[in-house]
């Protein structure tokens, strides 16, 4: 049962991260299309945001492994 719960938790975290990455990327492209001169600032902010969003599934995997070992 613990393995199933861990798998579901990791899967949902990955799904949430994928949706978050897609939203951030699409809004960045939209912002660059509206203001091309702000490309550098927008890309930097996008990469930081995607990095923070991608931390969620990594943390979920660690928590799942910890819960499975109990």
């Amino acid at each position: 049962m613990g393995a199933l719960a861990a798998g579901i938790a990791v899967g949902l975290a990955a799904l949430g991260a994928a949706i978050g990455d897609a939203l951030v990327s699409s809004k960045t492209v939209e912002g660059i299309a509206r203001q091309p001169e702000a490309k550098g600032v927008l890309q930097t902010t996008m990469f930081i945001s995607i990095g923070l969003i991608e931390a969620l599934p990594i943390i979920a995997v660690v928590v799942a492994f910890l819960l499975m070992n109990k």
Side-chain angles (χ1 to χ4, degrees):
M1 218 37 153
L4 180 63
I8 291 172
V10 171
L12 289 176
L15 179 65
I19 292 170
D21 287 346
L23 289 174
V24 168
S25 298
S26 70
K27 293 301 180 181
T28 301
V29 170
E30 183 180 321
I32 291 172
R34 288 175 185 247
Q35 293 183 342
E37 67 275 2
K39 178 181 178 185
V41 175
L42 290 173
Q43 279 186 337
T44 302
T45 306
M46 179 191 73
F47 289 136
I48 292 170
S49 299
I50 288 179
L52 292 172
I53 291 169
E54 286 297 321
L56 175 72
I58 295 169
I59 293 170
V61 168
V62 170
V63 169
F65 282 148
L66 290 173
L67 291 176
M68 284 181 53
N69 287 334
K70 283 188 174 187

